[in-house]
Amino acid sequence: MATQIFRKLSPAAARDAFTFSILCRTKITSAQYVASRARDPTFEKLMDKYKNFLKVISIQDLILASNAKPPSISLDFLSRLSQRLHLNRGPATFLRNYPHIFHIYNHPIKLHPFCTLTPAALKIIHQEAEAIEKSLPSAVTRLVKLLSMSLTKKLPLRAVFKVWRELGLPDNFEDSIISSNPEVFSLEDGNEPNTHFLVLNDGVAFRDCLIPAVEKWRVVDCCKEDSSMDRTEMMYSFKYGFPPGMRLKKDFKAKVKEWQKLPYVGPYEEMGLAHTKISKSGGMRMEKRAVGIVHEFLSLTVEKMVEVEKISHFRKWFGIDLNVRDLFLDHPGMFYLSTKGKRHTVFLREAYERGRLVVPNPIYDARMNLLYLVLLGRRGIDVGCDDGKNEDSEVEET
């Protein structure tokens, strides 16, 4: 991908294209830049699985939010949301494709078809809720880290709401985390009605936790006996691994090596005025700082992935002046951008191997059990497995 972009530039510009990536984007549109990226089959296959998985989660959340006992919603209600949920063939057709998760029945009083969740799906929901409950101390730390990356140590609450699931926060995190830790967090009214800011009151107790994930990798990699990089070179380096089949020219490799050595201000360090000057050197350092921030942001997420649109809500607060989507495209050795499912999703490349997390966690494991039921589709139903009765053994196979 990057080599294709470099060929579009003049030889003089190409020498600086990687280190000062603004030059790359002056020759082509952003859409062309996205289309020219090198595809990674592993991540593309993963996103193929996620397309319907995300729709299932959206419907599941609507069911759980209902006041009915047990939780259920009418198909008429879902029909009105079909366009927003991308249910092109209607809710009934979609729901019947996943009988291990959804059960359709005729309401005895309202005489309309309703949808509820199967015992297997409810078991996974309880598994995820239990995992989130047990990880509340870690969730507090993740929220402190997120706020610590903000220049003002505060963030719009609506932006945090957009990534509560990605961060592994409980759906009632305003009460279970923010209100329960008044010495750490507080809410501040915004300038507009119904707007609030989440403020970090005191992060001193978490000072020892403010170590970027990349720093931990550097320590581990530097201590390896077979490490080929010296300590000076490792000081500012990130872990790189390019998509299979991506052709890397010698000049490009040299530019990557040069960029890896470039000093920068870390995501939890205070950014002085000296680093905000608009110059070639200052621009390169600001870009590397932005890379460090989005790398850390992805490291804080449960699945090491997030929609680009969601992370864009934090751009101003983190002091990132670059287009974050183009930033991901500029560094294909660290990030992978997928456009599957009518959304742009970015993955932290180093966190994945063969389509799964290298270091999984209980919340991720629960979500993968639900993904298993999605991939199962209608299999098992025609051989005597009634909706919602015998799925427990299937979940435990994952």
Side-chain angles (χ1 to χ4, degrees):
M1 179 275 304
T3 52
Q4 294 172 354
I5 302 300
F6 293 163
R7 292 193 195 104
K8 297 176 182 287
L9 301 172
S10 65
R15 285 195 294 270
D16 296 325
F18 187 82
T19 54
F20 197 39
S21 60
I22 292 295
L23 294 176
C24 298
R25 297 191 288 272
T26 57
K27 298 295 181 181
I28 61 174
T29 66
S30 187
Q32 288 173 323
Y33 197 12
V34 172
S36 68
R37 76 194 189 283
R39 304 296 200 278
D40 190 319
T42 302
F43 285 110
E44 291 299 304
K45 288 178 182 177
L46 178 60
M47 277 310 298
D48 270 334
K49 298 175 183 177
Y50 263 80
K51 283 191 297 184
N52 287 333
F53 177 60
L54 295 173
K55 295 178 187 179
V56 166
I57 289 176
S58 297
I59 297 174
Q60 175 185 279
D61 288 347
L62 289 172
I63 294 173
L64 294 174
S66 71
N67 295 322
K69 298 294 181 182
S72 61
I73 54 175
S74 70
L75 264 63
D76 286 342
F77 174 72
L78 278 179
S79 294
R80 294 194 292 272
L81 298 176
S82 288
Q83 188 173 2
R84 198 181 82 182
L85 296 172
H86 304 294
L87 306 178
N88 299 329
R89 300 177 63 188
T93 301
F94 182 83
L95 296 173
R96 290 191 179 102
N97 286 332
Y98 306 103
H100 294 284
I101 303 172
F102 301 113
H103 173 61
I104 300 175
Y105 66 99
N106 287 319
H107 198 282
I109 299 174
K110 298 183 179 180
L111 304 179
H112 289 299
F114 270 65
C115 172
T116 188
L117 295 167
T118 65
L122 289 171
K123 179 178 179 180
I124 294 173
I125 290 167
H126 295 148
Q127 178 189 356
E128 182 178 348
E130 185 178 344
I132 290 174
E133 180 69 26
K134 288 181 179 179
S135 68
L136 277 182
S138 298
V140 172
T141 302
R142 286 195 294 273
L143 207 50
V144 168
K145 287 185 169 185
L146 192 69
L147 287 162
S148 297
M149 288 193 288
S150 168
L151 299 178
T152 58
K153 303 298 181 275
K154 69 178 183 181
L155 292 167
L157 187 61
R158 65 175 179 268
V160 180
F161 265 116
K162 287 184 177 294
V163 293
W164 69 272
R165 188 188 297 275
E166 285 83 353
L167 293 174
L169 303 178
D171 53 6
N172 66 338
F173 73 89
E174 279 190 273
D175 296 323
S176 58
I177 292 183
I178 298 173
S179 299
S180 299
N181 296 276
E183 71 285 355
V184 182
F185 308 111
S186 65
L187 290 177
E188 180 183 288
D189 290 336
N191 297 327
E192 301 176 7
N194 300 319
T195 60
H196 299 86
F197 291 100
L198 178 59
V199 181
L200 181 63
N201 293 334
D202 186 5
V204 175
F206 298 86
R207 187 173 295 169
D208 293 340
C209 299
L210 299 182
I211 302 173
V214 68
E215 290 286 350
K216 298 175 183 177
W217 167 77
R218 287 169 187 157
V219 170
V220 172
D221 205 67
C222 201
C223 294
K224 289 181 180 178
E225 293 182 3
D226 58 346
S227 179
S228 59
M229 300 178 72
D230 58 44
R231 301 198 173 199
T232 306
E233 197 173 348
M234 283 290 296
M235 191 178 299
Y236 302 110
S237 294
F238 288 86
K239 188 173 183 179
Y240 255 66
F242 291 98
M246 180 174 175
R247 293 179 299 168
L248 304 176
K249 288 189 174 182
K250 189 179 294 184
D251 288 348
F252 178 73
K253 292 180 181 179
K255 290 300 176 184
V256 172
K257 192 171 184 178
E258 179 184 342
W259 185 86
Q260 290 277 45
K261 295 178 181 178
L262 185 70
Y264 70 104
V265 179
Y268 301 120
E269 297 177 47
E270 295 294 334
M271 188 176 66
L273 294 176
H275 295 93
T276 62
K277 294 179 179 178
I278 304 302
S279 64
K280 180 177 177 181
S281 176
M284 293 191 307
R285 291 170 186 266
M286 287 291 288
E287 180 187 340
K288 192 159 186 179
R289 176 183 176 274
V291 168
I293 288 175
V294 294
H295 182 282
E296 185 66 8
F297 189 104
L298 285 166
S299 297
L300 294 177
T301 62
V302 170
E303 298 176 63
K304 315 307 177 194
M305 57 177 279
V306 70
E307 283 183 51
V308 175
E309 182 269 333
K310 291 182 179 181
I311 198 172
S312 294
H313 288 277
F314 297 89
R315 189 170 63 90
K316 181 182 76 173
W317 301 93
F318 291 158
I320 299 176
D321 293 328
L322 303 170
N323 182 312
V324 290
R325 182 181 59 180
D326 289 347
L327 196 69
F328 296 135
L329 292 171
D330 288 339
H331 299 274
M334 296 169 56
F335 311 110
Y336 183 72
L337 181 70
S338 172
T339 60
K340 293 276 188 180
K342 297 183 180 180
R343 69 187 76 213
H344 286 189
T345 306
V346 62
F347 293 85
L348 184 60
R349 183 178 291 280
E350 68 197 59
Y352 280 82
E353 184 175 353
R354 296 181 180 178
R356 291 188 65 88
L357 281 188
V358 176
V359 183
N361 56 75
I363 302 175
Y364 171 82
D365 289 338
R367 293 176 184 175
M368 290 303 99
N369 281 340
L370 182 61
L371 178 60
Y372 171 77
L373 291 187
V374 172
L375 298 177
L376 199 60
R378 294 193 57 83
R379 283 177 292 173
I381 297 300
D382 297 329
V383 291
C385 177
D386 192 16
D387 286 16
K389 291 183 180 179
N390 297 317
E391 290 97 330
D392 287 355
S393 60
E394 294 161 346
V395 175
E396 291 169 0
E397 289 176 8
T398 59

